[in-house]
Amino acid sequence: MSRESEKNESPQLAIAASPFCDAYIPRQAIGALAVLTLCGILVAGLWPFHSPKNQVQWLGNQNGIRIDRYGTVVSSGRFEPASSDGPSCSLEVWLKPRRTWDKGTFIAFYNPVNSRQFLLQQYYTKLILQRDGEYEYGQTHLYVDEVFRRKQALITVTSDGQDTAVYTNGNLVTRSSQFGVSLKDLAGKLIVANSPMQGNSWSGQLLGLAIYKSQLTSDQVAQHYQDWMRKGKPMVAESNPAVALYLFDERTGRTIHDQVRSGVDLYIPERYLVVHQALLEPPWVEFHRKGPHLDDILINIGGFVPLGFFVCTYFTSVRQVKHALLATIAFGAIVSLTIEVLQAYLPTRDSGLMDVVTNTLGTGVGVALYRVAALPLARALAPKHWASYFGVPQQGAAHKPS
């Protein structure tokens, strides 16, 4: 074939090495499918492309704040225990979860120096106390059942540094000698309704919060519950001083004042944020934080299967790239890595290496699907197939004499 005839060739796909050589699919169509698939993945991975407005509002008819999906409150400074303080501490949180069957972190303390975290989380009806980072304790989780079946709860966690007791509405629900909580756990930056390093938002109403540097007795816990319910605040004795006390009685503005003199105020940011968002979180850290998450893994694999299929089709049939199968898998890995790096700057997203692995695996599945299904699909799209199916005689076919 001459060069001139090659130039005048129709832009239909007619490459003998491709399974689609008889399908006569336009090159532009295959390229468009690959581009559209890529755009869809980018939108799904990066939407909404910015930090949304912080969804925290004051309750109009009572003290407290309402927190929606993209809402958080952070402290203006850090809690620093004095050298003279002992390990004993107590924490009171008065809240109303938006839904019983929901999950998220409603209180977190975070020290960026050593990445220590102490978290209080709702996991459906369970309360979870969790610590991460450099701790001398062996146990990292404490599970308390049936806490969030109530419409509202005053959760009290009190400890002498070794033995920890958890109360709900003034009643003891569990005690642990393996999960000690000290005043050092309640140090650093205080974060409300989110985790410090990855988005784990909580929705509901927060009505009161108090931190003490001593262990509360069962009688004190019961009395504080009555005070919170009747007066909206606990009666703090001089023998049991509060480190911080937030009544959420401002009802306007962006500052929540600490009732303790020279304390640390809370503020409501204009935009939703994650205080210290992680970049490419390792898989083992993600597993420790979230536990088994098979649904996310399957979604990440399935989402990249179309990309592997259509990009492999494009590389093989249009561009005739050498080692097209490996090139497609590498392309999928690069796309996934790019998305995960950008997600580290989006508080509505989590940046993790596990997603890169599963997305690359999904691309490989798409490539394998192309190898298996390309030839049968090309035959089904070929004009000869449809002409035979509808009984249309092909051009140039010999006619048998009657």
Side-chain angles (χ1 to χ4, degrees), residues 18 87 249 257 269 273 345 361 379:
S18 168
D249 57 355
H257 298 285
L273 58 84
Y345 302 94
L361 179 59
R379 287 174 177 172

Side-chain angles (χ1 to χ4, degrees), residues 150 154 156 166-174 218 221-222 225:
R150 304 168 180 85
L154 177 66
T156 304
V166 180
Y167 296 78
T168 302
N169 294 340
N171 300 310
L172 179 66
V173 289
T174 192
S218 58
V221 171
Y225 171 69

